[in-house]
Amino acid sequence: MEPMPSAPPDGEPVPASGALPPSALRGAADRPLGFYLHVPYCATRCGYCDFNTYTPSELRSGQGAAAAAGAASGTGSRESYAAALTEEIRLARKVLGDDPRPARTVFFGGGTPTLLPAGDLVRMLDAVRQEFGLAPDAEITTEANPESVTPAYLAALRRGGFTRISFGMQSARAHVLRVLDRAHTPGRPEECVAEARAAGFEHINLDLIYGTPGESDDDWRASLEAALSAGPDHISAYSLIVEEGTRLARRIRRGEIPPTDEDQHADRYLIAEEMLSAAGFSWYEVSNWAASPAGRCLHNDLYWRDADWWGAGPGAHSHVGGTRWWNVRHPAAYAAALAAGRSPGAGRETLTAEDRRIERIMLRLRLSDGCPLTLLTPAARRAARQAVADGLLDPARHAAGQAVLTLRGRLLADAVIRDLTD
């Protein structure tokens, strides 16, 4: 559920110590703090994926001198990964100094975090616990591919303190999974939900993708039905985005499979809203539905509400008090930097007050409680009134001082956001 950019932006150098500007730490005690722990390994690469992940063959091939040096010394491997990431958590403690905040959330994303032994994930979580502490009601999530877990593995995670798990289901139809190059078989994600429940997980998410070439409306309904019948308390549904450089993009360009269709994407979203609402799920962010407020993903909420998070791992992005930075991308280069006592940061930027205002509008408009009209410029407030007239913003919520998307507005969310930030 944590979309990590495939390519970092330009930025200023990060100090070797990782030290942040004083402005980033000002008022930190009043902001929630979360951790995103990136595990960059996958057994195979899905055809649509352009995240910063590495299969065994990609790691063997290496990328650049730093990667080659790391590979020669054994750093950057799965076996040594937990130790390297633990070093970055210790670095975070030094950088944030006497920051009294315990971690409100910890989210393991990837890649496939569950390719590592459960003990390694618990070890990384323990590093956060030891250096920062965990809030009494902390949310601890890991992503997982269905074929990468067993009942014993899930039980070990639960004993280690994990409270939430997110399975990549994507589709219930075999032919759709083949187009996406997904390795699991239909039915396995539903089994995983039952196994996670038996292990003691109360909060379980299933990730779905709609709009895959060759997927029909009936295929999409079947996927939703299968997901709902499994009994998770959270479902994420994302439209397929064809990223340049992926195998899927190449197949479409060669004419092997048809391109995606934006009108079909809109139809699939409406089907999702209808079926999920009928099953008692409520949208709280454009692509996310929960069976109750307790089922919402608190970690992603940190992103949407401009809180602080430290992203540890190769290519991970962080944000503290308006300063944003990102790590080197290759696991070997990442491990080599930490082994040398340096921050693995590759670049950073300090956002202006205007940058942050625009980002708050962009992110909060995606939420069911919306964006305060006070964040908008006079011109944007006029645009908001027009959006109400056009049926894109809720009139009652607008009258109460909030810009909240209607169902039609959710279909055109990018356009509404553009109008309210221009």
Side-chain angles (χ1 to χ4, degrees):
M1 291 171 66
E2 155 48 25
M4 193 172 64
S6 59
D10 295 328
E12 301 173 352
V14 175
S17 66
L20 294 172
S23 61
L25 300 177
R26 195 173 299 129
D30 298 324
R31 301 188 298 265
L33 174 66
F35 281 85
Y36 171 74
L37 308 185
H38 185 62
V39 179
Y41 306 110
C42 283
T44 60
R45 181 171 293 279
C46 298
Y48 59 92
C49 177
D50 74 335
F51 289 174
N52 187 46
T53 62
Y54 299 85
T55 65
S57 62
E58 290 167 344
L59 282 173
R60 284 193 297 272
S61 66
Q63 294 180 13
S73 64
T75 59
S77 68
R78 290 189 202 175
E79 293 74 18
S80 63
Y81 188 71
L85 191 136
T86 296
E87 285 303 314
E88 188 177 359
I89 299 302
R90 292 178 180 140
L91 173 69
R93 176 74 280 172
K94 294 175 184 176
V95 170
L96 296 180
D98 295 328
D99 190 329
R101 295 174 291 175
R104 179 70 186 84
T105 66
V106 182
F107 192 104
F108 289 73
T112 308
T114 45
L115 281 182
L116 298 183
D120 282 4
L121 300 190
V122 173
R123 178 180 173 187
M124 290 184 272
L125 174 59
D126 283 344
V128 177
R129 182 185 286 112
Q130 290 160 11
E131 298 294 337
F132 289 87
L134 298 175
D137 57 348
E139 175 191 87
I140 315 298
T141 304
T142 187
E143 295 179 332
N145 280 348
E147 72 279 4
S148 66
V149 297
T150 64
Y153 189 104
L154 295 169
L157 291 181
R158 187 68 190 95
R159 287 194 303 271
F162 284 76
T163 65
R164 187 173 183 277
I165 192 160
S166 177
F167 294 109
M169 178 177 179
Q170 318 315 352
S171 176
R173 295 298 205 196
H175 71 94
V176 175
L177 293 173
R178 282 195 297 271
V179 172
L180 296 173
D181 291 321
R182 294 291 294 180
H184 68 265
T185 56
R188 178 58 191 152
E190 298 94 307
E191 294 173 354
C192 286
V193 174
E195 292 169 1
R197 289 277 184 230
F201 281 92
E202 182 179 356
H203 300 303
I204 302 171
N205 173 62
L206 288 175
D207 270 347
L208 297 174
I209 289 179
Y210 58 87
T212 300
E215 176 192 64
S216 67
D217 285 352
D218 285 345
D219 290 334
W220 177 232
R221 288 191 180 92
S223 294
L224 288 163
E225 288 171 357
L228 287 167
S229 67
D233 67 335
H234 190 287
I235 291 178
S236 300
Y238 302 105
S239 64
L240 178 66
I241 298 175
V242 180
E243 302 285 0
E244 283 303 316
T246 62
R247 182 170 183 268
L248 182 61
R250 292 191 294 273
R251 293 186 67 194
I252 290 174
R253 189 166 55 248
R254 291 194 297 261
E256 296 176 11
I257 54 177
T260 57
D261 185 309
E262 290 188 5
D263 290 337
Q264 286 183 353
H265 285 198
D267 291 342
R268 304 280 158 75
Y269 188 90
L270 292 173
I271 291 170
E273 171 63 20
E274 177 185 6
M275 292 183 63
L276 293 171
S277 295
F281 283 67
S282 300
W283 80 283
Y284 69 99
E285 191 274 341
V286 169
S287 299
N288 291 275
W289 290 257
S292 70
R296 297 179 179 184
C297 179
L298 298 180
H299 183 80
N300 283 346
D301 200 61
L302 293 184
Y303 300 147
W304 298 323
R305 297 184 191 277
D306 195 34
D308 290 349
W309 72 89
W310 189 292
H317 284 227
S318 302
H319 170 266
V320 174
T323 294
R324 188 160 53 200
W325 70 97
W326 46 94
N327 286 344
V328 295
R329 292 170 56 78
H330 197 279
Y334 169 79
L338 288 163
R342 302 191 313 271
S343 164
R348 78 180 187 190
E349 59 184 351
T350 298
L351 305 177
T352 66
E354 178 62 6
D355 291 335
R356 298 188 75 182
R357 184 187 72 84
I358 294 296
E359 286 200 353
R360 287 186 181 111
I361 295 169
M362 294 173 64
L363 293 171
R364 294 187 186 186
L365 268 173
R366 295 183 62 86
L367 300 177
S368 60
D369 55 3
C371 168
L373 295 177
T374 53
L375 284 177
L376 306 183
T377 64
R381 291 181 196 178
R382 290 193 293 272
R385 289 194 291 272
Q386 183 59 50
V388 170
D390 293 340
L392 303 174
L393 293 179
D394 184 278
R397 300 296 297 278
H398 182 268
Q402 294 287 117
V404 177
L405 295 170
T406 61
L407 177 55
R408 181 166 181 263
R410 281 186 267 160
L411 295 175
L412 300 170
D414 290 344
V416 177
I417 290 169
R418 186 167 55 248
D419 288 345
L420 299 194
T421 53
D422 282 349

